[in-house]
Each structure stands twice: as C-alpha cells, then as structure tokens.
Amino acid sequence: MPLNSTVQTVTQRIIDRSKGTRSAYMARMRQAMDEGPRRAHLTCGNQAHAYAAMEGDQAPMLEGQGGNIGIISAYNDMLSAHQPFKDYPDLIKATARANGGTAQVAGGVPAMCDGVTQGQVGMELSLFSRDVIALAAGVALSHNTFDSAVYLGVCDKIVPGLVMAAATFGYLPGIFLPAGPMASGLPNDEKAKVRQQFAAGEVGRDKLMEAEMASYHSPGTCTFYGTANSNQMLMEFMGLHLPGSSFVNPNTEMRDALTNYGAKRALEITALGNEFTPVCDILDEKTFVNGLVGLMATGGSTNLVIHIIAMARAAGVILDLQDLSDLSDATPLMARVYPNGLADVNHFHAAGGLTYMIGELLEAGLLHPDTRTVMGDGMGLYARDPKLRDGVLTWEDAPRETQNDRILRPASDPFAPEGGLKQLQGNLGRGVIKVSAVAPERRVIEAPARIFHTQDAVKAAFKNGEFTQDTIVVVRFQGPKANGMPELHGLTPVLAVLQDRGLKVALVTDGRMSGASGKVPAAIHVCPEAVDGGLIGKLQDGDLIRLDATTGTLQVLTEGVDARTAASPDLSDNSHGIGRELFSIFRETAGIAADGAGVVV
C-alpha cells in the first residue's frame, strides 16, 4: 500500500520546517560518534573511580570489548508502575555478563505519581518534573563510560523526560524497558460512576475509597488508557521498545524474558558490534510521525501533545499543532479503551494490541515502514508478537484479525474515521481538544462563560448549585508560567454530572486536562496563557464563547473584550510550599504549551 498522502505531506512539512535544527543536531551527534567509544577519553584515574564498585566486572570493563550499559532508572516503590523496576538492574547485569558485557546503574531520576498529587499542590511540580528528569538523566550519562543506555520508566512525565535525555545523548544507542500494567481490577466505568456519585453527594467517602482501592490494587501501571499507557504505546510505535512488550504484566516469565532480551539487545547495537543503532538515527521526522499516528489511532492522552513536541525538539525536529490535527484527520480511531470505551489496556492487549494495530496501519499506508528501530530496520518488525517457545523468546507474525472487535477494529472498519484530536484556533488563541469520547452532538457549544481561577472554585460553585444553564467553564491562570500547569482532572466528575443532568457544558483552560476528560468537551492548553498576555485573561462572566470542535474554532463572540484590562489575581501562593520555591526559574522560563512547555528544550 502506498503511503497515505496526508502522512506524506505532513512528514515533508516537518522535514522542511526542521531542516536547520535537525541538521545542526545531527552534526553534533556525528561528531560525538566519530570520537569513538566513550571510555577511550577517560584517564586511568577516571576509570578507576568508575570501576571501583564493580567487583567481578572490572576485568571486562578494562578490556572494553563487550560493551557497558548505563542503566537510568526511575524506580521507587511508591509508584505502582515503577515498583517492579526494583529487580531490573540485577537482571540486566546478569544478562550483560552472560553476553560478554557489563552494566551499571548510572543514576536515578525522580518519578512522581500524578494519581497521588491529583488536585493537590504537588501537582504544580508535575509538568516541570519532566525537564528535571531529562536533566537528572543527563547528569548520570555525563560520566561518559557507557556504550549504550537502558531507560527504565513508565509514567506521565518520566518517559518524555527520558526520551529528551536519550535524544540529547543521541550518539548512544538506547532501549526503553517497561514494567507493564497491573492486572485488571474494578472496571474503570464503575470507578468513574462512583466518583460521579460522590461528587453529587449520593455516596460517602467510604464507598469512594473502596472503589479507588479496588481499581488501583497492585504493582504495575494503572490500567486505564491515560498518559502512562500512551507513553508505552508511543515507545513501541517509535521503535524504542521491543515489539509487543508494552502491555505484558509485571512479575511474569514473559516480562523477565523481555527485560533480559532488551539488555542483550542493548549490547548488540553498540558501536562495538555490527548493528550500531544510535538513538539519533531512530528519532527522526518519520519516527515522530509514526508516533503521532499511533497516538491518534489509539485515542491516546492529550498530555502527549505537549510531550511529543518537547521530545521532538530535543532531537532537532520541530512539530506544530497543525501537524497533529492533520494526522488525526487522516488516522482512523481503531481502539476503544477507557476513557474512550469500557475496556482496559489488558483487554486491549488480549484483543491484539499494538502489534495488530501496527500491522493494520502499515497495510493501510498510514505508517512509515522504513524507520530504524532498536530491533533493526523497518516497522514490520513491530507487527510481531513475542512468544516463549521452550523457554526461548522469539517473535512471530501477529494475527491479522482482531480478537475482539468491540475493543479493537481494523483500519478499514474503525470506530471513527478520524483520531479525534483537533487543533482549536480563534481570537482566544490556540489549543487542542480530544473528541474521541465526546458525542457528536456535544462537539459544538455556544454558551455564556463562568470564569474561575482555581478548580476548587469550580467545585464550590457546583456544590452551591450555581450551574443551572448551559455553561462554558473557563479556568485560567493554570498555564506553565502561572503555576506549573497542573492537571484539572478533578473537574471531570463535576462536569460529567452537569452533562448528565442535560446541560451542555464545556471547559476552556490554559491548563491541562488529560484524555481522562472523556465525554466532556475540553479546550485545553490554550495559549498564550492568561499570565502571558492571552485574551483568556480578559474574559468576564457572561461573555459568549463558541467552541466548535468540528471546524476547529475557539472564539469569544462578545465585542470589546480585547480592549479590557486583563485580570491580575494574586498568584503569590503559587510560589511557595511543597517545593514550589525551588521551581521559580522553571515558571519564569517555561515555553508555551504549543511548543511543548519546555524549560530545557
């Protein structure tokens, strides 16, 4: 099948736009590669310090023939998704030894859980933690003793931060090894129902806690298709995972086999062998387009809109919101995974998962087939499933039929002809909206605005019974420069209750609202943000706003708004407490959401 014309056009547009930055990036990477193995540049004293704790591994390190893997780990045992990483270094080291190489834990990076900080002050550090992770990984790899790197991370900001670091050290090969999702617990739709019942005062906190604990119940990634699992999809579509490895449960024979194979592969693709595959050669324009197509086909998290733009910039690739919107229009929605459906990622994986989807998208001409990956050349390698045959890991062609068409459908018969992510433009600025779970009749709303500066104020107004008509809820001063752009996910139950009461409601914000927003239309990432001169900062209660996800427009229809003086609330409380003092430089220097809201890229 020839390459889809939109995919081809968007890719060429990205190549043209990125010509200067990409060529400068690749020149730096080639220069570093031409310098040869990193350890050759260390003095004897440098090397002695690096090898002092390696005990039995010192001899192969001194010989330098087998390759040394630097492990960058986001392990902690508070995040369920990262708790399984505890034993990965020992597995990787044992595999490296068995294959004539060595491995060291180069360093750890912080990993915070958005589920713990959701609706809390700590969430104001969440987005910035991505750039901290990139910085921390950079410090770890700066020891310059590694021939390749293995990156251990799963959740929301961790994988994007690690990719930014991997791109910066793109002259090194790198493989991302996931931990996998926890087993299925309380169905996500039942959990959401209890949350709405609690928001409406129909059940008490005891029932809410019971439901939450039944949903998040064991080691592994949360099973809904939010940012963490969208990250895993992205790594597979971009060729940085092993094929079919994203959604294998932790603490299983297959999970360990994939981890061991990943360590072996990390040695095979170093400059010391015959399959040298530096990350910079993987992370090109075609690979990022493949990742975006995967995001659209699966109905992934809107947080990845910000993150993939930042990741690409680290590799000299410049993406624009229009690229994402155009690719969404050309990509069929092939999956229904909560919040876009009732299934969780375990059900999705059992129905055929990413390997089936990649095969379908290749057949439909919607993916570049000729990208480089950690497994070799060509995305066809990712249309194969891992299998254990007599204890030996192999890959076999994935089935060409879905195992459950209520969860996963072929590209020729999708759930929707488009991916559901739209760019919004108008006099309020630029933003995005995810409509894959929004009913068609709710995708256009014209209604008076209610203006809020915190999500707690929205909840208070809801409890006071103030929402009695169609309303566009505007929550501003939530951008990266204002307060670090925390998730507004806590508004989902409130807005869903209003919608279920028959009101047409929508959210407009310069903050974040991930794919878990589900069925409520949400214009998010609006920029310029209020604190940066955006028109959203001049809105008042009663202004008529039109959000049209079909035409991609976001307009304030009330005349004279631009002539008003912008609101200037006291934001001083955003600058202290729970470590926010340490991040003032991040708030001051953060880029706009449309450019990835980055500090280091």
Side-chain angles (χ1 to χ4, degrees), residues 110 223 236 296 311 358 496 539 568 592:
T223 59
E236 199 155 329
M296 306 312 167
M311 288 186 267
I358 288 171
L539 294 176
S568 55
I592 65 172

Side-chain angles (χ1 to χ4, degrees), residues 27-38 41 171 276:
R28 294 195 303 272
M29 297 300 108
R30 297 300 176 204
Q31 180 181 356
M33 284 185 273
D34 289 345
E35 294 171 357
R38 313 316 302 166
H41 303 284
Y171 50 83
F276 182 43

Side-chain angles (χ1 to χ4, degrees), residues 312-502:
R313 290 173 76 90
V317 176
I318 308 301
L319 302 179
D320 185 80
L321 291 180
Q322 192 61 52
D323 303 327
L324 282 65
S325 190
D326 289 349
L327 289 171
S328 180
D329 289 346
T331 304
L333 179 66
M334 297 170 59
R336 285 289 190 199
V337 189
Y338 186 84
N340 300 331
L342 299 182
D344 66 22
V345 294
N346 291 311
H347 305 136
F348 169 74
H349 187 64
L354 297 178
T355 51
Y356 168 81
M357 183 173 279
I358 288 171
E360 280 289 303
L361 290 168
L362 284 169
E363 181 67 24
L366 287 162
L367 291 177
H368 290 283
D370 54 346
T371 54
R372 297 199 73 183
T373 79
V374 297
M375 287 292 283
D377 291 338
M379 277 303 293
L381 297 169
Y382 284 73
R384 303 182 303 163
D385 284 328
K387 301 290 184 182
L388 280 174
R389 303 297 186 194
D390 298 323
V392 177
L393 182 64
T394 62
W395 273 267
E396 301 174 4
D397 289 341
R400 298 296 298 153
E401 294 183 359
T402 176
Q403 304 304 297
N404 188 332
D405 63 7
R406 293 174 297 174
I407 299 171
L408 186 59
R409 288 187 181 174
S412 59
D413 182 27
F415 291 101
E418 300 175 353
L421 187 77
K422 297 283 189 180
Q423 177 182 216
L424 297 173
Q425 295 187 86
N427 59 7
L428 281 176
R430 302 175 77 193
V432 294
I433 184 170
K434 179 180 175 181
V435 295
S436 49
V438 177
E441 65 271 17
R442 297 189 182 277
R443 296 181 183 181
V444 179
I445 175 171
E446 187 175 302
R450 279 290 310 273
I451 313 300
F452 300 91
H453 293 170
T454 68
Q455 57 181 325
D456 286 340
V458 179
K459 294 177 183 178
F462 171 78
K463 289 181 179 179
N464 291 334
E466 296 177 20
F467 296 108
T468 58
Q469 62 178 347
D470 294 349
T471 306
I472 291 186
V473 176
V474 176
V475 187
R476 62 190 181 192
F477 297 102
Q478 300 298 311
K481 289 183 180 295
N483 65 348
M485 210 179 190
E487 281 264 21
L488 302 178
H489 182 42
L491 295 180
T492 300
V494 168
L495 298 176
V497 168
L498 293 175
Q499 190 168 264
D500 289 347
R501 289 175 179 173

Side-chain angles (χ1 to χ4, degrees), residues 211-225:
E212 298 288 359
M213 292 295 290
S215 181
Y216 309 116
H217 61 89
S218 68
T221 316
C222 306
T223 59
F224 69 92
Y225 194 54

Side-chain angles (χ1 to χ4, degrees), residues 69 91-92 95-96 150 177 258-267:
I69 301 170
L91 291 174
I92 293 167
T95 297
V150 166
L177 297 180
L258 288 164
T259 300
N260 290 331
Y261 191 93
K264 177 175 180 288
R265 189 66 188 158
L267 291 174

